[in-house]
PDB file of all heavy atoms in Angstrom:
ATOM      1  N   PRO A  62      13.428  25.919   4.316  1.00  0.00           N
ATOM      2  CA  PRO A  62      13.655  27.322   3.951  1.00  0.00           C
ATOM      3  C   PRO A  62      14.889  27.509   3.058  1.00  0.00           C
ATOM      4  O   PRO A  62      15.832  26.724   3.123  1.00  0.00           O
ATOM      5  CB  PRO A  62      13.867  28.001   5.322  1.00  0.00           C
ATOM      6  CG  PRO A  62      14.286  26.910   6.235  1.00  0.00           C
ATOM      7  CD  PRO A  62      13.641  25.658   5.742  1.00  0.00           C
ATOM      8  N   ASN A  63      14.834  28.550   2.244  1.00  0.00           N
ATOM      9  CA  ASN A  63      15.952  28.927   1.373  1.00  0.00           C
ATOM     10  C   ASN A  63      16.380  27.828   0.413  1.00  0.00           C
ATOM     11  O   ASN A  63      17.569  27.660   0.138  1.00  0.00           O
ATOM     12  CB  ASN A  63      17.170  29.366   2.204  1.00  0.00           C
ATOM     13  CG  ASN A  63      16.869  30.607   3.016  1.00  0.00           C
ATOM     14  OD1 ASN A  63      16.295  31.561   2.497  1.00  0.00           O
ATOM     15  ND2 ASN A  63      17.216  30.584   4.287  1.00  0.00           N
ATOM     16  N   THR A  64      15.416  27.062  -0.046  1.00  0.00           N
ATOM     17  CA  THR A  64      15.735  26.028  -1.021  1.00  0.00           C
ATOM     18  C   THR A  64      15.017  26.309  -2.341  1.00  0.00           C
ATOM     19  O   THR A  64      13.923  26.869  -2.367  1.00  0.00           O
ATOM     20  CB  THR A  64      15.309  24.625  -0.544  1.00  0.00           C
ATOM     21  OG1 THR A  64      13.899  24.618  -0.276  1.00  0.00           O
ATOM     22  CG2 THR A  64      16.069  24.203   0.700  1.00  0.00           C
ATOM     23  N   VAL A  65      15.681  25.914  -3.410  1.00  0.00           N
ATOM     24  CA  VAL A  65      15.057  25.911  -4.734  1.00  0.00           C
ATOM     25  C   VAL A  65      15.206  24.499  -5.290  1.00  0.00           C
ATOM     26  O   VAL A  65      16.327  24.008  -5.443  1.00  0.00           O
ATOM     27  CB  VAL A  65      15.720  26.924  -5.687  1.00  0.00           C
ATOM     28  CG1 VAL A  65      15.207  26.740  -7.108  1.00  0.00           C
ATOM     29  CG2 VAL A  65      15.444  28.353  -5.225  1.00  0.00           C
ATOM     30  N   ALA A  66      14.088  23.861  -5.551  1.00  0.00           N
ATOM     31  CA  ALA A  66      14.113  22.531  -6.158  1.00  0.00           C
ATOM     32  C   ALA A  66      13.810  22.698  -7.651  1.00  0.00           C
ATOM     33  O   ALA A  66      12.671  22.975  -8.028  1.00  0.00           O
ATOM     34  CB  ALA A  66      13.097  21.622  -5.489  1.00  0.00           C
ATOM     35  N   LEU A  67      14.852  22.550  -8.452  1.00  0.00           N
ATOM     36  CA  LEU A  67      14.680  22.628  -9.910  1.00  0.00           C
ATOM     37  C   LEU A  67      14.331  21.235 -10.413  1.00  0.00           C
ATOM     38  O   LEU A  67      15.062  20.271 -10.152  1.00  0.00           O
ATOM     39  CB  LEU A  67      15.978  23.113 -10.562  1.00  0.00           C
ATOM     40  CG  LEU A  67      16.421  24.530 -10.155  1.00  0.00           C
ATOM     41  CD1 LEU A  67      17.846  24.799 -10.612  1.00  0.00           C
ATOM     42  CD2 LEU A  67      15.460  25.578 -10.716  1.00  0.00           C
ATOM     43  N   THR A  68      13.206  21.115 -11.095  1.00  0.00           N
ATOM     44  CA  THR A  68      12.777  19.812 -11.600  1.00  0.00           C
ATOM     45  C   THR A  68      12.656  19.856 -13.113  1.00  0.00           C
ATOM     46  O   THR A  68      12.308  20.897 -13.689  1.00  0.00           O
ATOM     47  CB  THR A  68      11.436  19.380 -10.987  1.00  0.00           C
ATOM     48  OG1 THR A  68      10.381  20.208 -11.484  1.00  0.00           O
ATOM     49  CG2 THR A  68      11.467  19.470  -9.461  1.00  0.00           C
ATOM     50  N   PHE A  69      12.944  18.715 -13.739  1.00  0.00           N
ATOM     51  CA  PHE A  69      12.954  18.629 -15.203  1.00  0.00           C
ATOM     52  C   PHE A  69      12.140  17.417 -15.648  1.00  0.00           C
ATOM     53  O   PHE A  69      12.477  16.274 -15.331  1.00  0.00           O
ATOM     54  CB  PHE A  69      14.397  18.537 -15.707  1.00  0.00           C
ATOM     55  CG  PHE A  69      15.218  19.727 -15.302  1.00  0.00           C
ATOM     56  CD1 PHE A  69      15.980  19.699 -14.148  1.00  0.00           C
ATOM     57  CD2 PHE A  69      15.179  20.894 -16.047  1.00  0.00           C
ATOM     58  CE1 PHE A  69      16.708  20.816 -13.746  1.00  0.00           C
ATOM     59  CE2 PHE A  69      15.889  22.023 -15.658  1.00  0.00           C
ATOM     60  CZ  PHE A  69      16.658  21.973 -14.500  1.00  0.00           C
ATOM     61  N   ASP A  70      11.082  17.672 -16.372  1.00  0.00           N
ATOM     62  CA  ASP A  70      10.143  16.625 -16.777  1.00  0.00           C
ATOM     63  C   ASP A  70      10.387  16.156 -18.212  1.00  0.00           C
ATOM     64  O   ASP A  70      11.021  16.848 -19.011  1.00  0.00           O
ATOM     65  CB  ASP A  70       8.705  17.148 -16.703  1.00  0.00           C
ATOM     66  CG  ASP A  70       8.207  17.315 -15.271  1.00  0.00           C
ATOM     67  OD1 ASP A  70       9.025  17.245 -14.343  1.00  0.00           O
ATOM     68  OD2 ASP A  70       6.993  17.529 -15.099  1.00  0.00           O
ATOM     69  N   ASP A  71       9.806  15.009 -18.504  1.00  0.00           N
ATOM     70  CA  ASP A  71       9.612  14.491 -19.863  1.00  0.00           C
ATOM     71  C   ASP A  71      10.842  13.840 -20.489  1.00  0.00           C
ATOM     72  O   ASP A  71      10.772  13.357 -21.614  1.00  0.00           O
ATOM     73  CB  ASP A  71       9.071  15.572 -20.825  1.00  0.00           C
ATOM     74  CG  ASP A  71       7.657  15.991 -20.489  1.00  0.00           C
ATOM     75  OD1 ASP A  71       7.197  15.689 -19.373  1.00  0.00           O
ATOM     76  OD2 ASP A  71       7.008  16.629 -21.326  1.00  0.00           O
ATOM     77  N   GLY A  72      11.985  13.852 -19.785  1.00  0.00           N
ATOM     78  CA  GLY A  72      13.142  13.136 -20.294  1.00  0.00           C
ATOM     79  C   GLY A  72      12.964  11.647 -20.078  1.00  0.00           C
ATOM     80  O   GLY A  72      11.868  11.212 -19.731  1.00  0.00           O
ATOM     81  N   PRO A  73      14.042  10.876 -20.254  1.00  0.00           N
ATOM     82  CA  PRO A  73      15.410  11.325 -20.554  1.00  0.00           C
ATOM     83  C   PRO A  73      15.578  11.760 -22.006  1.00  0.00           C
ATOM     84  O   PRO A  73      15.055  11.118 -22.916  1.00  0.00           O
ATOM     85  CB  PRO A  73      16.269  10.088 -20.243  1.00  0.00           C
ATOM     86  CG  PRO A  73      15.338   8.933 -20.438  1.00  0.00           C
ATOM     87  CD  PRO A  73      13.978   9.440 -20.030  1.00  0.00           C
ATOM     88  N   TRP A  74      16.353  12.855 -22.145  1.00  0.00           N
ATOM     89  CA  TRP A  74      16.621  13.400 -23.460  1.00  0.00           C
ATOM     90  C   TRP A  74      18.085  13.832 -23.515  1.00  0.00           C
ATOM     91  O   TRP A  74      18.810  13.704 -22.530  1.00  0.00           O
ATOM     92  CB  TRP A  74      15.638  14.554 -23.759  1.00  0.00           C
ATOM     93  CG  TRP A  74      15.684  15.054 -25.152  1.00  0.00           C
ATOM     94  CD1 TRP A  74      15.922  16.355 -25.546  1.00  0.00           C
ATOM     95  CD2 TRP A  74      15.523  14.300 -26.353  1.00  0.00           C
ATOM     96  NE1 TRP A  74      15.900  16.437 -26.913  1.00  0.00           N
ATOM     97  CE2 TRP A  74      15.664  15.186 -27.426  1.00  0.00           C
ATOM     98  CE3 TRP A  74      15.296  12.942 -26.609  1.00  0.00           C
ATOM     99  CZ2 TRP A  74      15.578  14.767 -28.762  1.00  0.00           C
ATOM    100  CZ3 TRP A  74      15.201  12.517 -27.936  1.00  0.00           C
ATOM    101  CH2 TRP A  74      15.332  13.418 -28.979  1.00  0.00           C
ATOM    102  N   GLU A  75      18.523  14.341 -24.642  1.00  0.00           N
ATOM    103  CA  GLU A  75      19.956  14.565 -24.820  1.00  0.00           C
ATOM    104  C   GLU A  75      20.518  15.720 -23.994  1.00  0.00           C
ATOM    105  O   GLU A  75      21.718  15.817 -23.824  1.00  0.00           O
ATOM    106  CB  GLU A  75      20.275  14.788 -26.298  1.00  0.00           C
ATOM    107  CG  GLU A  75      19.623  16.020 -26.888  1.00  0.00           C
ATOM    108  CD  GLU A  75      19.841  16.104 -28.402  1.00  0.00           C
ATOM    109  OE1 GLU A  75      19.077  15.444 -29.126  1.00  0.00           O
ATOM    110  OE2 GLU A  75      20.764  16.790 -28.836  1.00  0.00           O
ATOM    111  N   TYR A  76      19.660  16.620 -23.494  1.00  0.00           N
ATOM    112  CA  TYR A  76      20.164  17.754 -22.721  1.00  0.00           C
ATOM    113  C   TYR A  76      20.417  17.398 -21.270  1.00  0.00           C
ATOM    114  O   TYR A  76      20.773  18.251 -20.466  1.00  0.00           O
ATOM    115  CB  TYR A  76      19.183  18.930 -22.804  1.00  0.00           C
ATOM    116  CG  TYR A  76      18.777  19.297 -24.215  1.00  0.00           C
ATOM    117  CD1 TYR A  76      17.483  19.731 -24.511  1.00  0.00           C
ATOM    118  CD2 TYR A  76      19.685  19.203 -25.273  1.00  0.00           C
ATOM    119  CE1 TYR A  76      17.108  20.056 -25.813  1.00  0.00           C
ATOM    120  CE2 TYR A  76      19.314  19.517 -26.575  1.00  0.00           C
ATOM    121  CZ  TYR A  76      18.023  19.940 -26.842  1.00  0.00           C
ATOM    122  OH  TYR A  76      17.646  20.256 -28.116  1.00  0.00           O
ATOM    123  N   ILE A  77      20.236  16.130 -20.929  1.00  0.00           N
ATOM    124  CA  ILE A  77      20.384  15.712 -19.535  1.00  0.00           C
ATOM    125  C   ILE A  77      21.795  15.972 -19.019  1.00  0.00           C
ATOM    126  O   ILE A  77      21.983  16.363 -17.862  1.00  0.00           O
ATOM    127  CB  ILE A  77      19.973  14.221 -19.363  1.00  0.00           C
ATOM    128  CG1 ILE A  77      19.774  13.885 -17.897  1.00  0.00           C
ATOM    129  CG2 ILE A  77      20.973  13.277 -20.019  1.00  0.00           C
ATOM    130  CD1 ILE A  77      19.130  12.531 -17.652  1.00  0.00           C
ATOM    131  N   TYR A  78      22.804  15.790 -19.878  1.00  0.00           N
ATOM    132  CA  TYR A  78      24.189  16.001 -19.444  1.00  0.00           C
ATOM    133  C   TYR A  78      24.431  17.482 -19.141  1.00  0.00           C
ATOM    134  O   TYR A  78      25.063  17.836 -18.137  1.00  0.00           O
ATOM    135  CB  TYR A  78      25.166  15.525 -20.523  1.00  0.00           C
ATOM    136  CG  TYR A  78      25.094  14.043 -20.790  1.00  0.00           C
ATOM    137  CD1 TYR A  78      24.336  13.541 -21.834  1.00  0.00           C
ATOM    138  CD2 TYR A  78      25.796  13.142 -19.989  1.00  0.00           C
ATOM    139  CE1 TYR A  78      24.258  12.181 -22.090  1.00  0.00           C
ATOM    140  CE2 TYR A  78      25.740  11.781 -20.230  1.00  0.00           C
ATOM    141  CZ  TYR A  78      24.964  11.306 -21.283  1.00  0.00           C
ATOM    142  OH  TYR A  78      24.899   9.958 -21.524  1.00  0.00           O
TER     143      TYR A  78
END
Side-chain angles (χ1 to χ4, degrees):
N63 297 314
T64 58
V65 171
L67 297 168
T68 70
F69 300 94
D70 288 12
D71 292 16
W74 189 237
E75 63 187 82
Y76 309 144
I77 195 169
Y78 296 96

